[in-house]
Amino acid sequence: MANLVMFCILAVVILGSAIMCVTTKRIMRAATFLLFVLFGVAGIYFLLDYTFLGAAQISIYAGGITMMYIFAIQLVSKRTLQGLEEHVKGNRVIGGALAALIGFATVIGVFFKNQLFDRMATMTEKPEIPMQEIGMALVGSEKMQYVLPFEFISLFLLACIIGGIMIARKEDKQ
């Protein structure tokens, strides 16, 4: 019962923060709400006893990625952000809602095509995957393991940071 209560609390925090993240007009508040969403997802991982994934969620996403967003926001000059206002147009809202409905219908169609609803209904015992196997899949170098994509992502993020610094650097033209 306590797990269900904690899950409901985390779900409310995640959904509320996600809605506030996309609806706020202040960019730093959006980054803060994103941080709350990522901490909530880590809380669900800890609730499921996936401590490795929870710790990775906090250290990589909540720590690293959010700090990189804030760093990129701080690189942009205040003059650029001051006059930035976006007016919501009715046709954009309708287009966004239509795109969301099409995406939802596609997901439901894939579920029905692959008979996932039937499989979930007949599933009595959930398969348990040991954390050692998940950890080896994330940092292993064999086939279907992810150390090489992690390295490429780290190089890509480094290039983005260097590019952001080069763009933000103001050179005095005399």
Side-chain angles (χ1 to χ4, degrees):
M1 182 66 180
N3 285 342
L4 181 63
V5 170
M6 280 304 299
F7 176 78
C8 290
I9 291 171
L10 287 172
V12 167
V13 167
I14 290 170
L15 289 174
S17 297
I19 289 171
M20 291 301 295
C21 180
V22 298
T23 58
T24 187
K25 292 185 179 184
R26 305 259 185 198
I27 195 163
M28 289 301 286
R29 287 184 186 168
T32 305
F33 285 127
L34 176 66
L35 181 67
F36 290 147
V37 169
L38 296 173
F39 274 129
V41 172
I44 288 181
Y45 285 145
F46 286 125
L47 192 63
L48 293 171
D49 289 331
Y50 287 136
T51 55
F52 176 75
L53 290 177
Q57 176 78 17
I58 289 173
S59 65
I60 295 170
Y61 291 108
I65 300 298
T66 305
M67 288 304 117
M68 189 171 48
Y69 284 161
I70 292 172
F71 179 70
I73 290 167
Q74 294 297 324
L75 280 177
V76 177
S77 68
K78 289 184 180 180
R79 287 180 300 175
T80 306
L81 292 177
Q82 281 177 350
L84 190 63
E85 284 187 24
E86 183 174 335
H87 299 285
V88 179
K89 297 179 182 175
N91 58 358
R92 292 184 78 187
V93 172
I94 292 171
L98 185 63
L101 285 175
I102 289 171
F104 182 69
T106 303
V107 169
I108 296 298
V110 168
F111 276 18
F112 278 124
K113 181 182 178 212
N114 293 323
Q115 300 170 346
L116 291 176
F117 290 122
D118 297 336
R119 290 182 194 168
M120 285 189 291
T122 59
M123 209 162 152
T124 57
E125 185 178 315
K126 74 174 187 178
E128 187 69 31
I129 299 173
M131 283 313 273
Q132 183 176 4
E133 188 175 328
I134 293 172
M136 286 304 297
L138 287 175
V139 297
S141 61
E142 301 294 322
K143 184 177 181 182
M144 301 300 288
Q145 293 179 342
Y146 295 103
V147 73
L148 190 60
F150 278 161
E151 292 299 323
F152 282 135
I153 288 171
S154 68
L155 287 174
F156 176 71
L157 292 175
L158 178 65
C160 289
I161 290 171
I162 292 171
I165 290 171
M166 294 300 293
I167 289 171
R169 190 177 73 179
K170 294 183 171 69
E171 295 184 27
D172 293 331
K173 296 182 181 178
Q174 297 177 351

